[in-house]
Amino acid sequence: MSSKTTGLRDLRQRFSALFQDHEIFVRTHGHVRFLRVSAVWQKRVALIAAVVLLAWAGATLAVLVNQLLTSGERAAVAQQQAAAAASEARIAKYRDNVAETAADLEDRQEQLEEWSKVHFGVEPAAVTPEIGTEGTPAAEKAPLKTSAMIDPNLPPEAQVLARLEARQEDFATRLLTAVNERAAKAEGAVAKLGMNPAALVRNAAAGRGGPFIPYRGRAGRASTLGKSFAALESALFRMEVLERTLVAIPSGQPANVLMLSSSFGYRSDPFTGAGAMHSGLDFPGPIGTPILAAAPGRVVYVGQKSGYGNVVEVDHGQGILTRYAHLSGFTSTVGAQVAAGQQIAKMGSTGRSTGSHLHFEVRLNGVAVNPRRFLEAKADVLEVKDDARQRVGSVAAVRGAR
C-alpha cells in the first residue's frame, strides 16, 4: 500500500475522530429525555457550515477583487471629470474674453466712424483710399495686416476678431498720417500769417473741461482704445484747431477800394497831431460803399461805440473778431451768420472821423493785431486755407443734414 493511500486513510480517521456519537440527557419537571447526536449528523452540519463559510469568504473575496479592479476606473473617471470641469472653465473664460474683445472692437469702430464724420463728414470707407502722403498710396505707407500674418493657431472666431483689429489699426494709422499732413500744412500757413500755432493749440486745449465720467465698454471694464487711437485723437484736435483758425482768419477785402489812408501802428492823430496808436487799417471811399465780411462768422454787435461811431463786429471763432467802424448804415443784425464777402454795412464818417472811410480792425483774443498780414496772405497760404474751408464746410453740411 502506498504512502499516499496511507496518508488519506489517516486523514479520514482524524476527521472521523472529531465527530463522535453523543448522548444528552435532559431533565425537565421530573421527566428525563434522551437526545442522541450522531457523528453522521455532526458531519453534515459541519459540512453545511463549511460550505456557508466558503461561500461567504468567496463573496467577500469577490467584493474585494471588484473594488480593487474598479478603484482604478473610478480614479480615471474622477480625473476625466476634473479635466472636463477645467476645460469648461477655460472655455467660459475664453468666451468672456472673446465677447469683451468684440465689444472693445465695436467701440473702436464706432469711434473711428464718429471721427470720420465729425472731422471729414464721410464714412471711414470713404476716407481710407485717399489717405497717404502726396504721390504715395496709403497702402504702401502702412500695409494692411493680411490673413497670412494672423496666428493660424487661433480659433476661427478669434481670427475674425484679429483681422478686424488689424483693419482698424491700419485705418487709424492711415488716418493719422493724413491728419498729421493736413495739420502740418495748416501750421505752416498759420505761422506765415504771423501767428503762433503751438500757442493756438495750447489755448484751445486749456478751454476744455467737464465732469469726469469714466468710459466703460460693454464688457463692464474701462475700455482702452490703444496708443494709436490716443495719438489720432490728439492729431485730430490739433488739425481742427489750426484749420478752423485758418478759415476764421479775415483774408478777404472788407471793401472794394484801392487806397489805404492809414496803416496799423504809430501815427499822428488827425485831430491833435500828437503821436497815437492806430489799431486798424483805414480804407477811404464814398459814403454808402458796401462793407463786406472779411471771413465767415456770426455778427455779435451792431450799434455805436465811443470814437468809432456806428460799428459792426463779427466773431469768426478761434478767438478772432473783426470790427468795422465809422459806418453810415447797417445791413446785418446781431446773431446773423455771414459768409466771406457778404455785405454787412455801408461806409460812412460817423464817430471820430475826418471823412468817409472804413476803419477795419482784427482782434485776436481781444488784442488788436495788424490786419495787413491777413489781407496780404500769399497764394500758398490761401490755397491751404481754401482746402481747410472745403473740409470744414463739408463737415458743417453733414451736420446740417442730420
Side-chain angles (χ1 to χ4, degrees):
M1 186 177 293
S2 65
S3 58
K4 183 176 181 181
T5 304
T6 304
L8 290 175
R9 185 179 61 185
D10 291 340
L11 184 61
R12 284 196 299 269
Q13 290 175 351
R14 290 179 182 178
F15 179 75
S16 297
L18 294 175
F19 304 97
Q20 301 292 329
D21 292 336
H22 295 281
E23 293 180 353
I24 302 173
F25 296 90
V26 180
R27 183 176 180 176
T28 306
H29 301 293
H31 297 283
V32 178
R33 287 183 298 174
F34 172 75
L35 296 178
R36 185 174 183 275
V37 181
S38 66
V40 175
W41 186 85
Q42 293 179 35
K43 291 178 181 178
R44 290 176 180 175
V45 172
L47 181 60
I48 292 172
V51 170
V52 171
L53 182 62
L54 287 174
W56 174 82
T60 302
L61 181 61
V63 170
L64 291 176
V65 172
N66 181 66
Q67 288 180 346
L68 290 175
L69 293 176
T70 59
S71 62
E73 296 179 358
R74 287 197 301 270
V77 170
Q79 186 176 5
Q80 291 176 355
Q81 290 176 343
S87 178
E88 289 178 359
R90 287 195 300 271
I91 292 174
K93 184 177 180 181
Y94 168 74
R95 287 175 177 171
D96 290 342
N97 290 338
V98 169
E100 188 174 336
T101 302
D104 285 345
L105 289 175
E106 187 174 350
D107 291 337
R108 287 158 56 105
Q109 185 65 27
E110 290 177 357
Q111 185 63 74
L112 284 172
E113 292 174 357
E114 180 183 355
W115 280 340
S116 298
K117 292 177 182 178
V118 169
H119 296 284
F120 293 94
V122 294
E123 300 291 339
V127 179
T128 303
E130 302 175 2
I131 292 179
T133 55
E134 296 182 2
T136 304
E140 296 180 10
K141 293 288 293 180
L144 183 64
K145 194 174 183 180
T146 62
S147 300
M149 300 169 67
I150 304 297
D151 187 357
N153 296 322
L154 291 175
E157 61 271 22
Q159 292 191 25
V160 172
L161 295 179
R163 282 193 291 270
L164 177 57
E165 181 181 15
R167 290 177 59 190
Q168 289 180 348
E169 288 291 342
D170 178 78
F171 176 75
T173 301
R174 297 182 182 191
L175 187 58
L176 177 61
T177 301
V179 168
N180 282 334
E181 289 176 358
R182 293 189 67 96
K185 290 179 180 179
E187 182 178 9
V190 167
K192 288 181 180 180
L193 293 172
M195 304 175 73
N196 187 334
L200 290 171
V201 176
R202 185 168 56 251
N203 292 338
R208 297 188 291 181
F212 173 69
I213 303 175
Y215 177 78
R216 294 194 173 272
R218 292 171 177 79
R221 68 173 180 81
S223 179
T224 302
L225 299 183
K227 293 182 179 180
S228 60
F229 279 69
L232 179 56
E233 180 185 23
S234 177
L236 285 168
F237 178 76
R238 177 167 167 263
M239 178 196 73
E240 196 71 26
V241 170
L242 294 176
E243 290 200 339
R244 287 190 177 274
T245 298
L246 270 180
V247 174
I249 286 175
S251 57
Q253 291 295 325
N256 291 322
V257 295
L258 299 177
M259 292 180 60
L260 183 65
S261 59
S262 186
S263 296
F264 178 89
Y266 174 84
R267 72 171 182 178
S268 297
D269 183 78
F271 289 94
T272 66
M277 173 64 189
H278 188 229
S279 58
L281 301 178
D282 287 346
F283 296 90
I287 293 178
T289 300
I291 303 303
L292 313 176
R298 183 173 64 90
V299 177
V300 293
Y301 184 84
V302 175
Q304 293 185 341
K305 289 193 174 185
S306 177
Y308 288 98
N310 293 332
V311 173
V312 171
E313 291 180 348
V314 179
D315 184 1
H316 306 283
Q318 309 302 119
I320 299 175
L321 179 140
T322 51
R323 177 178 294 168
Y324 310 80
H326 306 308
L327 307 172
S328 62
F330 309 114
T331 60
S332 59
T333 57
V334 173
Q337 293 288 338
V338 295
Q342 180 178 334
Q343 183 176 353
I344 56 175
K346 298 177 182 179
M347 189 179 293
S349 186
T350 57
R352 197 169 183 270
S353 170
T354 60
S356 178
H357 74 286
L358 166 68
H359 173 82
F360 176 65
E361 287 185 15
V362 176
R363 291 184 172 268
L364 179 60
N365 295 322
V367 179
V369 296
N370 190 351
R372 197 161 198 163
R373 61 190 183 186
F374 304 136
L375 300 181
E376 296 177 357
K378 294 184 179 180
D380 58 339
V381 174
L382 295 177
E383 182 179 356
V384 176
K385 178 179 179 179
D386 183 63
D387 183 46
R389 181 167 46 240
Q390 291 181 17
R391 185 192 67 81
V392 173
S394 67
V395 170
V398 170
R399 290 179 180 174
R402 290 180 181 177

